[in-house]
Amino acid sequence: MSRASIRSISGPVLHATVSGPFRLREAVEVGPQALLGEVVRLHDDEIVVQVYEDTTGLRPGAEVVGHGLPLAIRLGPGLLGNIFDGLLRPLSGADSAFVAPGMHRAAPSTFAFEPRVAARDTLAPGAVYGIVTAASGRAQRCICPPDVGGEVVAVALAGDYREDATICTLRLPDGRTHELAMGHHWPVRTPRPVRRRLPSIVPLVTGQRIIDCLFPVAQGGRAAVPGGFGTGKTVLLEALAKGCNADVIVYLGCGERGNEMAGVLEEFPQLTDPKTGRPLMERTVIVANTSNMPVAAREASIYCAITVAEYFRDQGQDVALMADSTSRWAEALREVSGRFGELPGEGGYPAYLSSRLADFYERAAIVETLGGDHGSVTVIGAISPPSGDLSEPVTSHTKRYVKAFWTLDAKRAQARFYPAVHPLQSYSEDARDLAPWWAANGNGDWLKLRRRFLTLLDDQAHLERMARIIGKDALPLRQQLTLLCADLVNDAFLRQSAFSPVDRVCSPRRQALMMRLVGRFVDLAEAAVAAGVHPDRLGELPSLRPLQRMGEDIPDAELARFAALEANLDRDFAELMRSHGAGDATHR
Amino acid sequence: MRLTAEGAATRIEGPLLFLRRTLDVGLNDAVQVVGGDGRTRLGRIAAIDESFMTIEVLESTSGLALSDTVVRFFGEPLTFGLAPSILGRVFNGVGRVIDGGPPVAARQTQRIEGLPINPVQRAAPRDFIETGVTALDLMNSLVRGQKLPIFSGGGLPHDRLAVEIATHARLRHESATGGDFAIVFAGIGVPYDSAEFFRRSLEQFGALERTALFLNLASDSSTQRLLTPRFALTAAEYLAFVEGKHVLAILTDMTNYAEALREVSSSKGEIPSRKGFPGYMYSDLASLFERAGCIRGVKGTLTQLSILTMPADDIGHPIPDLTGYITEGQIVLSRDLDRRAVYPPIDVLPSLSRLMKDGIGERYTHADHPALSSQLYAAYARSVQARVLASVVGEEGLAATDRQYLAFGTAFENDLVSQPEARTLEQSMEAGWRLLAGLPAAELTRLSDAQIAAHVAPRGAVRADAKR
Ligand SMILES: Nc1ncnc2c1ncn2[C@@H]1O[C@H](COP(=O)(O)OP(=O)(O)OP(=O)(O)O)[C@@H](O)[C@H]1O
Ligand SMILES: [Mg+2]
């Protein structure tokens, strides 16, 4: 333990004179309230500390204490189902309605432990030595820290233990002994090691049609959601957190609204996990640094969140991390950097913004864990560009590191067309690799239909520009048809309300059926127009409205109704062609 | 503890006063700086080291001298003395009584910075507030505990709208004066007549004795503007979370606040971000706007209705932009509608209430409310597109459906947004259904067949062939 004494303080930054060794990035406790801080500079006998909490009342002469360890968090079975602040200190269980500085760690809870090893076994780093079960019944693995391995000297019998109790003792190769509890500490800024990275060929199924079908993200992939205020980033991220097929969700509220966190806390326990049927909250960890909580901790919160995600990945789980919003993190970085007098770069951000973003997104991966399992971390980050301008630094740098990019469009949002993902300004580099998965999961035409839809939407934009000059009616019939079909793709397929009880999540099976039906309409319509039918007549087909509303009207439990809808569609078109033929005949 | 330092000043630079440190004081502690002119100014300790301290003077520093400046230390951060009797009183921007009455006998004091509400302790706001304004009630519903600003422009009737909302707001099945209701009004850099308009209107509606007014007028010190909303919100939090009242806080004009923030930041020599505003403006504004909401197990609620004027009517300007990123939606006023005598001139498309979804629907307002508002949005957005099209190719060049949309858009603005008097939610919904009856049923894809059959078909002659 080393000590230092505060020499000067201004805002969250303090200088202190040391009487003992400190390391760069060492975690420290500051003043009588033991506020958490981090050493950010060393200079002769002086350290510069960034404090993560409100420094009001601190004064020169107060003590700074360090333990020689970097900023680390305790990982363990108590994470799931709970909410933490930006430094992973529990927010629940506090008796006051307000968050005061100097909050302390939670009392450890008790879990049922079952050993998976016996004395004399050899444990490699990352290996499983036991299973713990929470009161909810969800089992988690106890894994060796990535930097510890040895021979088991003793292991606890099956039973209930506090999460910080020693349940396994190892003899390390150098002869020392090492005690393991149910979890362990890990420094947040250091990525947890893995055996190797694997190629990602399986999508994170999100249950959102525009994402899964047009701009999919792979498990272990990286996606970004830029959009101006109110365009639907948070709702989309929450919809993904509710509906995606990950085993564990880490939801990071980074500089956003307190009410949104409260909403998640209220809603998630009542929803069910699509994968296990258990309450959704049981697979969720929330890390919250709301916009009115200390900015310095915002900078650290993103690392805490991803470290938690990696921890579950290392247990062989597929994890999805939603970060809302990475812009607030970048701004915190900018603010902290400004306080140290660093030279500002583009947009006032420090020059290392880009590399920090790269480091963060690089921690997303699908891997073979040290323990030999497969696990993944998929990262989805919201971006809040100033005045919705996508050329700003955070968006443009992020774009270089993500493979799926979902741009939210203010126009769509204003028309209450949700999700407001703009089909022409979004992309996915993962799509091609994921086609085989869709083919194996009942949608062999996925790639073909996807391309078809995208082409229609692209043509639509082009034709609408034309129509603005010459009028819609002046367009050739084929092009009028394109407009009609593109409208249908939008209305019948891409629109999906996150609050609809029927449509908020769409199973891959239902997506395939809907995709196919829209594709079928386009085929039949093209054939009809080629045969001389006027596109306006297609707008009157009785099955068009059921098609436009199928997302709202046909739930996952009644998939057979899609076949009936298709039959009606075929019949309508057959009728149309017949009457058209007859009409032709009479005209003649 | 109240200690004094005399003759310790070594330097004055803009709002910053440098003192030799003669006392053991803490960061952010409040101070009173008394100049040779006898005027007292509030300040706080912004930085300390072993031998010096920096005081940020929160009011004008002009007139201060090094020799005769006296600094009194409070030994704690700035606080505000509170009691239920603050209602009916008028304060200046730094919490001093200015209505000629006696000072408030404080029951408790609170730090004006407040503390973040623990998200775990927040209760999701759900109580629909009927304001009588269709563009709000039907299209962008306000709920208790929400923070919903009005984005306006110079010369637009935002003050009138705010007063109407404040005095009309009620839960359904509750009278406007019923319930334990209070208003906290903060005038931040507003002209005297605007402050007077609020005071008089509230008086007219008999709401003045339920109101605490905080006035920092345009003629008052601009640095004080940073304190005004903090004093006002501290009062609002007290009334809501200690006294259990349903508080509506009206902060106007947040643009003046942001400009004061820029002024102070630049005089401190900080590196500016967009348009000269400091990089921390987002966090700073959030520290105000987040002071709203509902708390579990507490009866009172705090709803914020702030007004900001968008510089040059630009919604992308940093002030509205950052605000929009923090608040739970925004009500945007349109100069164009105002010119066309539409009152209230609410531009519905860019307006948004994010908490609407939690406060409407079957259990709260009406089962068809969400679908109706979504359909109206879709149709109005289409009509605006049709308008753009018509402006180029002429109305004759439009397809039949687009012409119908054109008519819909006009009716939407004149008959739904514009309203001669307050409407109940039912009246607003009725107006909405009636408008939709002017469109072909095939276009109403956001409504279910049942909704069309029940509400639209009976109100209009929707012909199957209307499309052509
Ligand atoms: N998928 C959706 N389905 C239905 N409604 C949606 C959807 N997405 C957004 N909305 C509506 O839009 C509103 C704003 O969305 P949201 O809060 O997600 O915006 P945001 O992009 O996160 O904004 P900010 O950057 O200010 O946080 C929501 O309150 C909701 O009413
Ligand atoms: Mg958001």
Side-chain angles (χ1 to χ4, degrees):
Chain A
M1 192 164 77
S2 319
R3 291 172 194 282
S5 160
I6 297 183
R7 183 184 286 168
S8 70
I9 175 150
S10 154
V13 176
L14 64 81
H15 295 242
T17 315
V18 303
S19 45
F22 279 86
R23 293 164 193 278
L24 202 60
R25 290 287 172 196
E26 176 170 346
V28 293
E29 288 162 9
V30 178
Q33 286 175 293
L35 305 178
L36 206 54
E38 210 177 334
V39 178
V40 291
R41 268 187 202 175
L42 298 167
H43 189 262
D44 290 342
D45 67 340
E46 190 181 84
I47 52 173
V48 182
V49 172
Q50 170 184 344
V51 185
Y52 288 127
E53 297 177 74
D54 183 5
T55 48
T56 294
L58 273 186
R59 49 198 73 203
E63 199 172 54
V64 177
V65 180
H67 300 279
L69 298 170
L71 181 66
I73 52 177
R74 191 175 75 187
L75 301 163
L79 294 171
L80 281 183
N82 282 313
I83 176 168
F84 302 86
D85 77 354
L87 301 167
L88 217 71
R89 296 172 300 183
L91 282 170
S92 44
D95 31 342
S96 161
F98 299 89
V99 188
M103 282 195 340
H104 289 291
R105 282 143 238 278
S109 8
T110 300
F111 293 86
F113 171 75
E114 239 183 79
R116 283 287 187 270
V117 290
R120 310 271 268 285
D121 284 355
T122 307
L123 268 184
V128 180
Y129 54 89
I131 300 291
V132 291
T133 311
S136 67
R138 180 166 175 135
Q140 296 181 51
R141 297 175 181 176
C142 300
I143 51 175
C144 260
D147 51 359
V148 174
E151 187 190 314
V152 178
V153 179
V155 64
L157 298 174
D160 290 348
Y161 298 90
R162 262 176 46 161
E163 59 183 311
D164 58 346
T166 299
I167 46 175
C168 183
T169 311
L170 295 184
R171 183 171 302 110
L172 305 183
D174 65 5
R176 286 179 303 137
T177 57
H178 187 100
E179 296 181 339
L180 295 172
M182 288 177 189
H184 55 261
H185 281 77
W186 188 260
V188 297
R189 297 183 196 275
T190 311
R192 289 171 63 91
V194 297
R195 202 176 276 173
R196 63 191 175 102
R197 289 179 163 238
L198 303 169
S200 22
I201 45 166
V202 173
L204 179 80
V205 178
T206 64
Q208 300 293 310
R209 288 186 289 274
I210 190 158
I211 292 178
D212 289 345
C213 291
L214 295 193
F215 310 109
V217 60
Q219 275 186 7
R222 313 177 284 276
V225 194
F229 61 79
T231 50
K233 298 178 292 296
T234 304
V235 173
L236 186 65
L237 257 48
E238 283 179 13
L240 262 49
K242 292 173 197 166
C244 80
N245 66 343
D247 300 308
V248 172
I249 304 289
V250 181
Y251 194 94
L252 169 65
C254 182
E256 294 292 311
R257 303 171 184 82
N259 269 336
E260 290 172 350
M261 296 295 115
V264 171
L265 283 175
E266 195 170 293
E267 199 180 4
F268 276 33
Q270 290 159 26
L271 296 172
T272 48
D273 175 353
K275 236 177 146 166
T276 60
R278 311 231 4 127
L280 200 56
M281 198 60 206
E282 283 177 17
R283 73 165 185 181
T284 309
V285 183
I286 302 175
V287 180
N289 173 282
T290 55
S291 57
N292 54 347
M293 289 181 175
V295 173
R298 198 164 301 160
E299 192 270 326
S301 66
I302 202 167
Y303 299 105
C304 291
I306 194 134
T307 304
V308 170
E310 287 176 342
Y311 170 67
F312 287 103
R313 172 202 70 193
D314 290 348
Q315 295 179 40
Q317 309 267 297
D318 290 318
V319 186
L321 168 69
M322 325 289 171
D324 183 16
S325 153
T326 58
S327 294
R328 304 301 164 220
W329 166 79
E331 283 164 11
L333 198 68
R334 175 172 72 187
E335 195 170 327
V336 170
S337 148
R339 288 200 194 272
F340 297 135
E342 290 172 349
L343 221 53
E346 209 185 340
Y349 292 102
Y352 48 76
L353 169 69
S354 171
S355 62
R356 291 283 169 86
L357 276 167
D359 290 347
F360 169 66
Y361 279 105
E362 193 57 21
R363 289 173 79 168
I366 180 160
V367 304
E368 186 178 323
T369 65
L370 292 181
D373 279 300
H374 287 190
S376 66
V377 173
T378 310
V379 173
I380 300 162
I383 309 176
S384 319
S387 34
D389 168 17
L390 300 192
S391 64
E392 58 93 37
V394 180
T395 316
S396 54
H397 289 303
T398 303
K399 214 167 175 175
R400 292 162 46 206
Y401 306 122
V402 297
K403 295 184 84 179
F405 196 73
W406 306 323
T407 306
L408 300 186
D409 177 43
K411 277 250 153 50
R412 287 188 170 231
Q414 291 192 349
R416 303 307 194 250
F417 184 103
Y418 297 119
V421 176
H422 194 299
L424 303 182
Q425 289 166 22
S426 304
Y427 60 81
S428 159
E429 292 172 20
D430 289 330
R432 189 158 273 288
D433 298 338
L434 302 175
W437 184 91
W438 279 101
N441 283 271
N443 197 350
D445 288 337
W446 183 81
L447 202 58
K448 198 182 97 212
L449 284 168
R450 171 177 186 272
R451 210 168 286 139
R452 187 98 188 258
F453 289 3
L454 285 174
T455 311
L456 275 171
L457 294 164
D458 198 18
D459 291 347
Q460 176 192 35
H462 173 70
L463 293 175
E464 271 178 354
R465 271 195 301 274
M466 292 260 290
R468 231 169 280 152
I469 302 167
I470 58 171
K472 231 181 244 174
D473 283 350
L475 292 175
L477 294 187
R478 273 198 61 88
Q479 300 191 337
Q480 292 188 27
L481 174 69
T482 301
L483 290 179
L484 181 100
C485 291
D487 271 343
L488 187 73
V489 170
N490 273 318
D491 238 345
F493 189 69
L494 299 183
R495 181 155 60 85
Q496 185 179 0
S497 165
F499 307 120
S500 155
V502 170
D503 207 22
R504 58 181 190 83
V505 189
C506 190
S507 69
R509 184 88 204 104
R510 192 157 76 101
Q511 296 191 27
L513 289 167
M514 290 175 70
M515 206 175 184
R516 181 186 140 94
L517 260 182
V518 175
R520 178 107 189 124
F521 179 92
V522 176
D523 284 342
L524 292 171
E526 280 181 352
V529 171
V533 174
H534 193 281
D536 276 357
R537 305 250 346 244
L538 303 177
E540 296 152 18
L541 294 180
S543 49
L544 185 61
R545 188 175 150 80
L547 197 62
Q548 281 166 330
R549 287 194 46 89
M550 64 186 165
E552 278 295 320
D553 289 346
I554 307 184
D556 259 306
E558 299 171 25
L559 294 185
R561 286 171 58 193
F562 283 107
L565 189 52
E566 183 164 352
N568 288 346
L569 192 66
D570 287 350
R571 206 198 43 226
D572 283 353
F573 269 101
E575 192 111 328
L576 182 71
M577 296 300 271
R578 209 172 22 251
S579 73
H580 177 69
D584 267 2
T586 47
H587 276 302
R588 223 174 273 146
Chain B
M1 168 177 107
R2 226 182 237 211
L3 300 163
T4 312
E6 272 187 70
T10 60
R11 189 150 62 100
I12 303 176
E13 226 180 83
L16 302 181
L17 171 68
F18 298 84
L19 292 187
R20 271 190 306 280
R21 189 165 84 96
T22 51
L23 299 157
D24 183 27
V25 288
L27 195 68
N28 285 340
D29 280 1
V31 299
Q32 233 174 25
V33 179
V34 189
D37 52 6
R39 270 183 40 216
T40 60
R41 303 151 172 92
L42 284 175
R44 65 174 192 99
I45 302 177
I48 338 176
D49 64 22
E50 286 155 325
S51 30
F52 289 95
M53 63 179 115
T54 311
I55 288 172
E56 183 185 348
V57 183
L58 301 163
E59 304 178 46
S60 166
T61 45
S62 61
L64 287 182
L66 292 182
S67 53
D68 57 1
T69 294
V70 178
V71 180
R72 291 201 197 102
F73 296 89
F74 288 46
E76 60 174 8
L78 268 185
T79 58
F80 187 28
L82 297 155
S85 61
I86 58 172
L87 287 176
R89 303 299 305 270
V90 185
F91 303 85
N92 71 0
V94 290
R96 285 180 213 129
V97 172
I98 51 165
D99 54 8
V104 170
R107 282 201 197 161
Q108 56 171 273
T109 57
Q110 297 275 343
R111 284 185 53 185
I112 63 158
E113 292 294 335
L115 284 171
I117 300 178
N118 186 337
V120 176
Q121 303 286 338
R122 281 186 184 265
R126 290 206 181 280
D127 292 333
F128 172 85
I129 300 178
E130 191 174 281
T131 63
V133 179
T134 303
L136 264 71
D137 294 352
L138 177 61
M139 306 297 287
N140 292 290
S141 316
L142 174 69
V143 298
R144 260 185 187 166
Q146 183 168 13
K147 38 186 182 290
L148 189 66
I150 299 176
F151 286 10
S152 185
L156 294 180
H158 42 259
D159 289 348
R160 177 174 159 202
L161 181 62
V163 164
E164 282 174 8
I165 294 172
T167 51
H168 192 281
R170 70 190 84 198
L171 295 193
R172 282 150 64 73
H173 326 298
E174 181 189 87
S175 69
T177 48
D180 216 351
F181 182 65
I183 297 174
V184 171
F185 175 85
I188 308 164
V190 293
Y192 171 80
D193 39 319
S194 162
E196 187 54 22
F197 168 79
F198 274 99
R199 205 195 57 75
R200 240 188 4 244
S201 315
L202 292 170
E203 189 170 33
Q204 230 167 51
F205 285 99
L208 207 53
E209 69 272 21
R210 292 161 172 273
T211 304
L213 286 134
F214 291 80
L215 299 181
N216 166 283
L217 299 180
S219 51
D220 290 337
S221 135
S222 67
T223 31
Q224 265 190 16
R225 286 178 198 150
L226 301 187
L227 297 176
T228 310
R230 295 191 158 83
F231 276 98
L233 288 169
T234 304
E237 279 178 344
Y238 166 79
L239 292 170
F241 304 137
V242 178
E243 296 298 329
K245 295 186 188 304
H246 296 292
V247 181
L248 180 69
I250 303 176
L251 311 178
T252 179
D253 176 337
M254 287 304 288
T255 299
N256 295 336
Y257 173 86
E259 256 144 28
L261 194 69
R262 170 166 69 180
E263 188 181 324
V264 168
S265 163
S266 85
S267 66
K268 284 196 274 186
E270 291 168 344
I271 302 166
S273 179
R274 267 203 298 162
K275 295 225 157 119
F277 291 95
Y280 52 78
M281 186 155 85
Y282 174 84
S283 306
D284 188 278
L285 288 175
S287 74
L288 300 176
F289 288 127
E290 275 291 309
R291 295 173 79 172
C294 311
I295 295 179
R296 274 170 208 282
V298 172
K299 198 171 125 253
T301 57
L302 174 41
T303 310
Q304 266 191 40
L305 187 78
S306 11
I307 297 172
L308 67 83
T309 44
M310 298 181 280
D313 290 349
D314 173 16
I315 199 170
H317 183 282
I319 300 171
D321 190 47
L322 292 180
T323 302
Y325 273 121
I326 300 164
T327 53
E328 284 142 353
Q330 66 279 339
I331 301 301
V332 183
L333 301 192
S334 145
R335 200 167 292 284
D336 181 45
L337 290 179
D338 186 55
R339 218 177 279 129
R340 281 156 44 202
V342 170
Y343 181 85
I346 297 177
D347 193 354
V348 169
L349 287 185
S351 298
L352 169 71
S353 162
R354 296 161 194 256
L355 300 187
M356 173 168 180
K357 60 182 197 303
D358 301 322
I360 66 165
E362 189 162 10
R363 282 164 54 206
Y364 306 99
T365 55
H366 195 288
D368 297 327
H369 186 170
L372 173 59
S373 115
S374 170
Q375 181 63 68
L376 285 167
Y377 259 106
Y380 184 53
R382 247 320 270 283
S383 78
V384 169
Q385 267 180 7
R387 214 174 268 172
V388 174
L389 212 57
S391 71
V392 183
V393 297
E395 206 172 311
E396 310 70 45
L398 291 186
T401 326
D402 282 335
R403 276 203 294 278
Q404 281 172 310
Y405 272 112
L406 215 52
F408 172 88
T410 313
F412 183 88
E413 287 160 5
N414 295 339
D415 304 341
L416 190 114
V417 174
S418 178
Q419 53 186 105
E421 54 194 13
R423 293 191 187 117
T424 63
L425 177 67
E426 283 69 23
Q427 289 168 334
S428 292
M429 288 184 71
E430 168 64 32
W433 294 124
R434 220 175 315 124
L435 281 185
L436 290 178
L439 290 174
E443 290 293 317
L444 307 180
T445 57
R446 309 248 177 130
L447 299 180
S448 69
D449 291 344
Q451 283 162 338
I452 293 182
H455 301 294
V456 185
R459 287 182 171 87
V462 180
R463 288 157 295 138
D465 63 345
K467 235 184 121 86
R468 311 185 75 195

